[in-house]
Amino acid sequence: MKNIFIINGHQKYPFSEGKLNATLTEKAENYFKSNGYNIKKTTMEDNYDVNEEIEKFKWADVVFFQTPLNWMGVSWSFKKYIDEVFSMGMMGEMSDGDGRSKEAPKKNYGLGGKLNGKYMMSVTANAPKEAFNNPEELFFNGMSEDELLKPMHLNFKWFGFEPLPTFMAYDVMKNPEIENDFIRFENHLKANF
């Protein structure tokens, strides 16, 4: 049986209460439960203990991370979480520092991860799908979704996690297709778990 650590990284704002991120998190939890997975959860709106969070990462075979795309990154509350939990975790629990050794101080930066599992990011974005992978769309200039999310991919890689394909719900504020997103999300979970 696999252990899934579910993180809802949404930060509430007056114009974005987090209902879609909460629903996708709930759908993921229901999917994993119905398929016999063990589950632990954290939500950015809740208080957390850093040491307990480190233990959840160590316990997990898979980390499922649900987040809105906030200013081309994660919410400030999840960034705070990273600063607190990941920084403490790299002191030996989740990685051997930054991976370098006294014998080779210029090699293997970022490769000290002690965990071996997978992670999946599920992202809600106001950007339309057509804004990505298209050099004619000048803002992202041909960038893919995963290129935009590279810092988060590197954060998980730091600790030894391997990526599963990213899911993205597009254009969620101006032109939402929520029911279609739910169908695509369920199919994405079935294809990867």
Side-chain angles (χ1 to χ4, degrees), residues 163-177:
L164 291 166
T166 301
F167 174 83
M168 188 171 282
Y170 303 93
D171 218 353
V172 299
M173 294 177 83
K174 291 200 173 181
N175 297 295
E177 294 182 9

Side-chain angles (χ1 to χ4, degrees), residues 46-99:
D46 299 335
N47 293 323
Y48 56 83
D49 175 87
V50 170
N51 292 318
E52 288 176 14
E53 296 306 298
I54 290 171
E55 291 304 315
K56 290 176 185 177
F57 279 101
K58 290 167 55 179
W59 168 85
D61 296 310
V62 176
V63 176
F64 172 86
F65 175 51
Q66 179 66 51
T67 186
L69 184 64
N70 281 20
W71 291 105
M72 311 319 125
V74 296
S75 66
W76 69 265
S77 57
F78 190 70
K79 178 64 171 89
K80 179 179 180 277
Y81 178 94
I82 289 171
D83 289 347
E84 293 175 344
V85 176
F86 287 18
S87 294
M88 186 62 72
M90 74 175 228
M91 296 296 121
E93 290 290 316
M94 293 167 58
S95 73
D96 286 325
D98 68 10

